[in-house]
């Protein structure tokens, strides 16, 4: 097999990272070459360690222009890497199974903006990597912007060092209210049954007990469940790259308007994220973090058939509002 079936190409919007690679690193078939899904799969199996070297340097790799035409093809690409799958249990979005290891990405209505986050960073353990696939290419918005999380860490340190120190020392507690019933057409599924994929209260209690005390559960009679996660770290050490990452759900949780049924409004009224000692997180600093993320982001247009592999330790992602059709599929790695 050709060593250079795919080669590095440049695309508008990608960014050179200081001292690292390019976010994202983009691979496409050599000029005039058609690469079938099967060829791509074989190439990945053969070149996995080289691909992982590029992932280490760039944090995300975009495979563009190969014949990856549908969810089945995408599943074959994901399987070619032979990574262990991570299920979405405990994740806040609504995702449906498509085929094999493939799920829809968050089924938020197209116009909804999803803030930057490391996938499932609010949980004690998060996926190591995330794959996305562009099935229907959005034409107006709908990008999946990326963010080198160490650049956020460094800028927050420069602009509000005291705040960062508090985050490092105290960590964060995330508090979520999940009602007894799903909210129809909600993009953040609010019932504890759906979020935790259980039917009975006892089943949820058993699942929470497995967290070793890191997750606490409180039943709110007649309304639902209050879940408190943490304290969990707000900053992590990326061992592979030996640098800090701004690894949390702070901006995501703070700025998202979580829907609840009107009968549950009172039961659900508490701050969604607080410092690890229970003290409130100052709004001004959260907004500073949000601004820094917007200034540091990388944004590029999806093309149909794109597959992107994101290192969830190094890189955050978000979703821009979309005003055209769009279908992005995903798969999570343990
Ligand atoms: Fe996400």
């Amino acid at each position: 097999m050709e060593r250079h079936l795919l080669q590095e190409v440049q695309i508008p919007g990608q960014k050179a990272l200081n001292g690292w690679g390019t976010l994202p690193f983009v691979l496409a078939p050599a000029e005039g070459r058609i690469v079938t899904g099967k060829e791509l799969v074989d190439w990945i199996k053969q070149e996995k360690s080289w691909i992982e070297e590029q992932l280490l340097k760039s944090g995300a790799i975009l495979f563009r222009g190969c014949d990856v035409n549908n969810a089945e093809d995408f599943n074959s690409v994901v399987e070619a890497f032979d990574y262990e799958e991570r299920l979405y249990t405990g994740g806040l979005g609504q995702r449906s199974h498509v085929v094999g290891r493939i799920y829809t990405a968050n089924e938020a209505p197209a116009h909804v903006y999803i803030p930057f986050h490391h996938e499932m960073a609010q949980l004690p353990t998060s996926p190591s990597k995330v794959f996305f696939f562009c099935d229907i290419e959005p034409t107006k918005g709908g990008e999946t912007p990326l963010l080198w999380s160490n650049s956020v860490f460094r800028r927050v340190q420069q602009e509000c060092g005291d705040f960062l120190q508090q985050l490092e020392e105290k960590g964060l507690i995330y508090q979520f209210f999940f009602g007894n019933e799903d909210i129809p057409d909600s993009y953040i599924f609010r019932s504890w049954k759906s979020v935790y994929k259980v039917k009975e209260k006892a089943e949820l209690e058993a699942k929470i007990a497995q967290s070793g005390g890191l997750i606490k559960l409180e039943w709110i009679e007649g309304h639902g469940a209050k879940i408190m996660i943490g304290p969990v770290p707000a900053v992590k050490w990326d061992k592979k790259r030996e640098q800090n990452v701004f690894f949390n759900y702070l901006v995501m949780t703070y700025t998202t308007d979580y829907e609840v049924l009107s009968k549950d409004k009172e039961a659900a009224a508490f701050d969604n994220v607080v410092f690890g000692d229970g003290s409130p997180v100052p709004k001004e600093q959260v907004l500073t973090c949000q601004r820094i993320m917007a200034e540091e982001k990388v944004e590029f247009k999806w093309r149909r058939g794109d597959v992107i592999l994101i290192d969830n330790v190094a890189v955050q992602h978000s979703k821009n509002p979309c005003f055209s059709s769009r279908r992005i599929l995903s798969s999570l790695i343990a």
Side-chain angles (χ1 to χ4, degrees), residues 95 117 119 132 317:
R95 289 182 162 175
H117 59 283
E119 195 62 35
F132 289 116
H317 61 277

Side-chain angles (χ1 to χ4, degrees), residues 88 95 106 114 117-120 130 132 249 252 317-318:
Y88 192 60
R95 289 182 162 175
N106 196 322
I114 300 177
H117 59 283
H118 288 277
E119 195 62 35
M120 299 161 95
V130 181
F132 289 116
Y249 246 41
M252 174 88 157
H317 61 277
S318 63

Side-chain angles (χ1 to χ4, degrees), residues 204-276:
L204 179 60
E205 286 163 3
K207 272 203 173 177
I208 298 294
Q210 288 168 9
S211 78
L214 255 182
I215 305 179
K216 292 178 192 72
L217 162 68
E218 206 178 279
W219 292 108
I220 304 176
E221 202 44 51
H223 293 282
K226 180 179 176 179
I227 302 274
M228 289 148 287
I229 305 169
V232 288
V235 168
K236 275 192 182 170
W237 181 248
D238 179 351
K239 276 185 241 151
K240 282 192 259 170
R241 296 171 188 82
E242 300 192 321
Q243 60 183 12
N244 283 299
V245 280
F246 195 72
F247 198 97
N248 56 66
Y249 246 41
L250 177 63
V251 170
M252 174 88 157
T253 314
Y254 200 98
T255 59
T256 300
D257 207 2
Y258 293 98
E259 294 162 83
V260 291
L261 293 173
S262 55
K263 77 169 180 71
D264 295 331
K265 283 238 155 68
E266 223 171 288
F270 47 76
D271 288 336
N272 284 321
V273 56
V274 294
F275 280 126

Side-chain angles (χ1 to χ4, degrees), residues 76-208:
S76 301
V77 171
V78 171
E79 282 183 343
F81 282 90
D82 200 26
Y83 293 132
E84 189 191 334
E85 184 177 7
R86 164 71 186 245
L87 297 174
Y88 192 60
T89 306
L92 299 173
Q94 162 64 356
R95 289 182 162 175
S96 313
H97 183 239
V98 179
V99 66
R101 303 168 58 140
I102 308 307
Y103 290 76
T104 56
N106 196 322
E107 290 172 14
H111 67 273
V112 167
Y113 168 70
I114 300 177
F116 274 108
H117 59 283
H118 288 277
E119 195 62 35
M120 299 161 95
Q122 86 283 18
L123 299 178
T125 60
S126 315
S128 64
K129 300 174 189 68
V130 181
F131 282 95
F132 289 116
F133 165 65
C134 178
D135 189 19
I136 298 175
E137 171 182 315
T139 51
K140 276 189 183 166
E143 298 87 355
T144 301
L146 303 176
L147 185 58
W148 186 247
S149 200
N150 174 255
S151 65
V152 182
F153 174 87
R154 283 186 282 111
R155 292 225 21 220
V156 175
Q157 194 169 42
Q158 283 162 13
E159 294 192 31
C160 39
D162 290 351
F163 175 62
L164 188 73
Q165 200 181 338
Q166 285 195 70
L167 286 175
E168 285 186 293
E169 285 170 10
K170 299 176 181 175
L172 291 167
I173 296 175
Y174 303 95
Q175 306 182 132
F176 299 103
F177 171 80
F178 301 114
N180 289 328
E181 303 143 52
D182 291 334
I183 301 177
D185 305 321
S186 162
Y187 66 96
I188 299 169
F189 244 29
R190 294 277 81 188
S191 92
W192 50 267
K193 293 168 196 158
S194 293
V195 170
Y196 286 93
K197 299 176 177 64
V198 293
K199 291 193 178 75
E200 306 293 334
K201 284 185 173 182
E203 278 179 82
L204 179 60
E205 286 163 3
K207 272 203 173 177
I208 298 294

Side-chain angles (χ1 to χ4, degrees), residues 11-12 24 61-65 74 105 130-146 299-310 317-322 324-330:
I11 59 164
I61 301 184
L62 175 63
F63 299 89
R64 171 164 288 183
F74 175 40
V130 181
F131 282 95
F132 289 116
F133 165 65
C134 178
D135 189 19
I136 298 175
E137 171 182 315
T139 51
K140 276 189 183 166
E143 298 87 355
T144 301
L146 303 176
E299 205 170 272
F300 60 93
K301 295 283 174 205
W302 279 115
R303 291 283 169 264
R304 178 166 155 69
D306 279 353
V307 173
I308 192 165
L309 167 59
I310 299 172
H317 61 277
S318 63
K319 189 215 121 195
N320 282 347
C322 183
S324 64
S325 52
R326 174 189 193 265
R327 189 173 195 239
I328 304 295
L329 304 178
S330 75

